[in-house]
Amino acid sequence: MTGETTPLDVPELQRRLAAFAAARDWQPFHTPKNLVAALSVEASELVEIFQWLTPEESARVMSDPDTAHRVRDEVADVLAYLLQLCEILGVDPLAALAAKIERNEKRFPAERPGAEAE
């Protein structure tokens, strides 16, 4: 790896994940229920890294190379299962996120910080 970054292409990542699963005949196991369960497990593994850290320690978690590697791996696992779930359900994850941000901006306007949802 040269340190260069390429723009991420969500459909391409989804295609690669699908091809990886197909090459191993894993598609029968990649049901929405199973993918959501796997996503939950991977998210829990990410939580485990931070579980007993103080707020200050958690803010420095990426300064330790071994812990940073674990964080990146678990983030990748969470994202992989989420992208696979979205592909199977026909959800555009970026469009879903943009719509949710827009709803939250209306629901929690900046001029009313800390205001309860109505």
Side-chain angles (χ1 to χ4, degrees):
M1 188 166 237
T2 63
E4 297 174 21
T5 59
T6 10
L8 292 179
D9 180 342
V10 171
E12 174 62 14
L13 293 172
Q14 288 173 311
R15 186 202 61 74
R16 288 180 62 194
L17 288 165
F20 183 87
R24 290 151 183 83
D25 295 321
W26 289 352
Q27 307 97 315
F29 306 104
H30 286 190
T31 64
K33 178 192 81 66
N34 288 350
L35 290 170
V36 167
L39 175 60
S40 175
V41 168
E42 296 302 338
S44 294
E45 290 178 6
L46 183 59
V47 169
E48 183 181 30
I49 296 168
F50 293 86
Q51 184 174 8
W52 302 114
L53 301 180
T54 65
E56 295 78 19
E57 291 168 333
S58 70
R60 295 188 308 268
V61 76
M62 298 305 284
S63 63
D64 175 65
D66 291 334
T67 306
H69 178 75
R70 289 178 54 213
V71 168
R72 282 191 295 273
D73 275 357
E74 296 308 334
V75 166
D77 288 342
V78 167
L79 184 57
Y81 281 120
L82 182 59
L83 291 178
Q84 289 173 87
L85 177 67
C86 287
E87 177 69 16
I88 286 174
L89 295 179
V91 172
D92 177 336
L94 298 182
L97 177 57
K100 181 68 175 189
I101 291 169
E102 188 173 318
R103 284 193 308 275
N104 282 343
E105 287 171 341
K106 291 176 184 168
R107 187 173 172 195
F108 305 106
E111 60 273 4
R112 293 179 45 204
E116 291 295 318
E118 296 173 17

